[in-house]
Amino acid sequence: MNDQEILARLKQGDENTLDLLYKANYRMMIKLIIKNNGTEEEAKDIYQESLIVLWQKAQNENFVLTSKISTYLYSICLNLWRKELERKKRFSYETKEESTDVMEMDREERVRIINKCIQKLGETCRDILTYYYFDRLSMVEIAEKMGFANADTSKTKKYKCKKELDQLVKSLYKESDFLD
Amino acid sequence: MNISEETIDSFLRGDLTGDELENFNKALSADPKMQQEVSFQQDVVDSIKQYRHNQLKNRLNSIEMAPVSVGSSASTYLKLAASIGIVALLIGAFAILTNTQKEENNTPISDLETQSTESVIVSTPEPAISSNNNSTDQKTIAPKNSNSETKATSKIVDASTANSKTKKSTVATNTNEASVNTSVPGDEEMTSDDMAFDSRSENFSTPTITNTDHSNISASVVKVNIVKEKNLAYRYFNNELYLHGNFSNSTYELFELNNKPSKQLFLYFENNYYELIQGKTKVTALVPITDKATLSQLAQLREH
């Protein structure tokens, strides 16, 4: 597979290709970060994040690969790692502020509730919604991946699934007095 | 202006740009009730994205990779040399095994590959070859691994997610030179070990399971194709196994059980075992095995 083929497969949301890409560039990227004062654990984390960045970028129609995928990954890794180093530095200077902010606590509780609802959702719904919002697959691509008859089926299902999730969340919010 | 549900959804997905986005924001700022709704849905969509992000991350994280050592002590080099030797030995052995297979089946692997479905399958060799023997004679193949071997081979197994494993059997890799395409920008430390592992992990070939028995060495080759579908099913076509199902979020494993005189192939997927009966040419739904004796045998095999 050449880079264009890999990219095309990533665009279709082919996770197996993501795995292969991960394995193929693993040693190089891990070494890169270890050499820049990272631990292997940190290196792994940054590298995985970089691949997910690429995964999402590949969905963008305007995305053009101007270098080899490995070179591109290399630069994402390096950027993310620099950011992480800066964050660490800043963090060590700041006095730790306990976030007793009521708003913040509310937000955490809301996220917790939503996640509970996502778990409750059927697998099909969860897949459709994540493919649609995160992977940004088209309705045709979702139909192919899920084995639906056509894009209309994806669209209808996506609509229903989103409604179902919204309703679930709203009903749990009510229990926790988040609404009204 | 009234904001349609569809527009809100496009906004949340990040599809609105330029004028569309401007109009949306304008309309939104004039409608507090709508603001509340959009902010609610924004939370939901953010969580959906986070969920998928974690899912992908866990997926990558579950791919076990050999530790990377940056240092260059003598012992690492020894280890490298040893693993290169073993890899070379394995490739040699596989080449011979695969060749024999080709003749028997009369279907060259390269042909099979061009017919294969779009899915990518990684081969997972878990060979059991006695290590101190450089001969590739099939008779040297024994089910017991020596320690150093286990190390090298387990690395190979870890390198894959679409796991097809067989226990007490060897899995032949098909070293596919066309797919060995490693690009290495600016890493001066790439050793031949790197290359060996890289080329192996880029090996997009098909899992070819070659079975060996204690007494009687017999071999079988299974080429697996994945057909993404909701329900688990399988069929054989053209001597290839077609697995239907959703394997994108978890891995599957294949086992071969040698209950003389017949051999049985089993699939392990999401805590269930399924029997794959060879020669089923129609798509057959997979039903988990409930027979206790078989299950315990399989569980034993899998734990091994």
Side-chain angles (χ1 to χ4, degrees):
Chain A
M1 275 210 290
N2 65 33
D3 279 4
Q4 287 310 321
E5 281 166 344
I6 293 175
L7 206 62
R9 288 197 180 189
L10 291 182
K11 197 184 164 350
Q12 290 161 9
D14 180 355
E15 291 102 343
N16 288 325
T17 304
L18 189 71
D19 295 350
L20 291 165
L21 202 59
Y22 177 70
K23 284 181 258 174
N25 296 286
Y26 184 81
R27 294 183 67 86
M28 187 172 72
M29 302 304 164
I30 298 298
K31 278 186 180 179
L32 166 73
I33 289 160
I34 292 179
K35 272 190 212 159
N36 285 285
N37 302 318
T39 64
E40 181 151 357
E41 230 11 73
E42 287 169 324
K44 236 178 152 165
D45 183 60
I46 292 289
Y47 176 41
Q48 286 163 0
E49 292 295 335
S50 308
L51 269 174
I52 296 175
V53 170
L54 176 68
W55 173 263
Q56 285 196 289
K57 288 224 179 203
Q59 293 307 322
N60 190 331
E61 278 159 39
N62 301 324
F63 179 68
V64 185
L65 199 61
T66 51
S67 63
K68 279 195 216 162
I69 287 185
S70 51
T71 315
Y72 186 68
L73 269 175
Y74 194 94
S75 63
I76 305 178
C77 259
L78 214 54
N79 270 331
L80 286 183
W81 180 236
R82 281 192 187 126
K83 270 189 207 156
E84 174 64 16
L85 283 177
E86 267 167 39
R87 197 193 62 82
K88 272 162 101 181
K89 217 163 138 192
R90 233 182 311 131
F91 197 68
S92 62
Y93 289 137
E94 267 170 26
T95 45
K96 273 189 191 171
E97 259 177 76
E98 287 291 312
S99 57
T100 44
D101 195 345
V102 182
M103 292 293 282
E104 188 55 32
M105 272 167 64
D106 269 11
R107 216 194 76 84
E108 274 171 26
E109 177 63 9
R110 284 205 307 270
V111 169
R112 200 186 59 76
I113 289 175
I114 301 171
N115 279 330
K116 206 163 133 192
C117 296
I118 295 176
Q119 298 286 352
K120 273 193 189 167
L121 219 54
E123 200 191 338
T124 309
C125 269
R126 211 158 47 215
D127 282 351
I128 296 172
L129 292 179
T130 53
Y131 293 160
Y132 179 74
Y133 290 107
F134 186 85
D135 296 9
R136 294 181 55 81
L137 297 186
S138 69
M139 290 303 170
V140 176
E141 284 164 335
I142 291 176
E144 274 167 16
K145 221 170 135 90
M146 302 294 299
F148 297 155
N150 53 43
D152 286 341
T153 317
S154 311
K155 208 168 171 181
T156 316
K157 289 210 184 217
K158 184 233 109 198
Y159 181 80
K160 280 188 184 155
C161 291
K162 178 68 175 21
K163 273 273 162 311
E164 190 189 331
L165 181 60
D166 285 354
Q167 293 305 327
L168 259 175
V169 176
K170 276 183 178 162
S171 69
L172 282 194
Y173 270 14
K174 272 217 177 89
E175 282 173 24
S176 317
D177 290 332
F178 270 119
L179 287 187
D180 62 46
Chain B
M1 180 190 122
N2 232 339
I3 310 174
S4 72
E5 271 185 60
E6 218 173 326
T7 315
I8 295 178
D9 199 50
S10 303
F11 167 75
L12 293 171
R13 194 175 179 245
D15 288 343
L16 293 188
T17 51
D19 284 352
E20 287 171 322
L21 187 61
E22 212 169 291
N23 289 337
F24 177 82
N25 281 328
K26 226 184 251 170
L28 192 64
S29 62
D31 189 342
K33 191 136 199 215
M34 195 53 85
Q35 279 172 29
Q36 213 178 10
E37 176 63 19
V38 170
S39 140
F40 164 78
Q41 289 201 33
Q42 182 80 64
D43 282 348
V44 174
V45 169
D46 285 349
S47 292
I48 292 172
K49 287 185 182 169
Q50 191 59 46
Y51 181 89
R52 176 63 168 159
H53 184 272
N54 293 345
Q55 193 181 40
L56 283 173
K57 191 132 186 189
N58 287 338
R59 184 190 173 91
L60 292 176
N61 217 11
S62 70
I63 304 176
E64 280 182 46
M65 302 293 292
V68 175
S69 54
V70 180
S72 54
S73 69
S75 71
T76 25
Y77 277 121
L78 277 178
K79 270 189 226 152
L80 295 188
S83 41
I84 294 165
I86 289 164
V87 168
L89 171 73
L90 296 181
I91 290 171
F94 299 151
I96 286 183
L97 285 173
T98 335
N99 279 340
T100 336
Q101 258 333 105
K102 275 186 195 169
E103 280 158 27
E104 278 172 24
N105 281 353
N106 221 359
T107 35
I109 302 265
S110 54
D111 282 354
L112 290 176
E113 267 171 12
T114 51
Q115 301 165 4
S116 76
T117 53
E118 35 78 56
S119 67
V120 177
I121 300 160
V122 197
S123 63
T124 43
E126 189 176 72
I129 299 175
S130 64
S131 62
N132 297 329
N133 202 328
N134 273 325
S135 153
T136 49
D137 186 334
Q138 290 198 358
K139 277 179 185 154
T140 64
I141 296 166
K144 287 261 153 78
N145 292 354
S146 79
N147 278 342
S148 67
E149 270 271 328
T150 323
K151 208 171 165 195
T153 54
S154 66
K155 277 183 194 164
I156 294 172
V157 171
D158 291 341
S160 136
T161 40
N163 262 338
S164 38
K165 274 194 213 165
T166 50
K167 299 288 173 175
K168 292 188 182 172
S169 63
T170 57
V171 181
T173 26
N174 171 16
T175 38
N176 186 344
E177 63 288 302
S179 63
V180 181
N181 170 22
T182 333
S183 35
V184 204
D187 190 338
E188 68 283 4
E189 280 206 10
M190 285 299 279
T191 63
S192 55
D193 174 54
D194 291 344
M195 303 309 267
F197 277 105
D198 283 348
S199 62
R200 187 213 58 234
S201 57
E202 284 215 345
N203 189 349
F204 287 38
S205 72
T206 57
T208 325
I209 305 170
T210 320
N211 183 278
T212 50
D213 205 11
H214 282 264
S215 50
N216 178 20
I217 293 164
S218 60
S220 62
V221 172
V222 181
K223 184 180 180 308
V224 185
N225 298 289
I226 301 292
V227 182
K228 172 111 187 183
E229 228 172 48
K230 223 176 115 189
N231 299 320
L232 272 183
Y234 75 103
R235 70 170 177 139
Y236 281 90
F237 179 71
N238 213 3
N239 277 335
E240 294 172 22
L241 172 63
Y242 285 76
L243 283 178
H244 298 238
N246 183 356
F247 298 99
S248 44
N249 295 327
S250 29
T251 60
Y252 68 89
E253 296 171 28
L254 288 175
F255 297 98
E256 201 162 66
L257 204 58
N258 274 312
N259 283 335
K260 276 179 193 165
S262 66
K263 270 183 318 223
Q264 289 170 290
L265 192 65
F266 292 93
L267 169 76
Y268 176 81
F269 181 64
E270 293 186 334
N271 298 323
N272 281 316
Y273 292 93
Y274 307 87
E275 184 176 3
L276 304 168
I277 301 159
Q278 283 179 36
K280 287 257 184 201
T281 47
K282 284 195 178 148
V283 177
T284 313
L286 282 165
V287 185
I289 292 171
T290 45
D291 177 53
K292 285 209 172 109
T294 321
L295 276 179
S296 72
Q297 210 175 354
L298 284 166
Q300 231 178 356
L301 202 63
R302 193 171 166 267
E303 247 172 51
H304 219 277

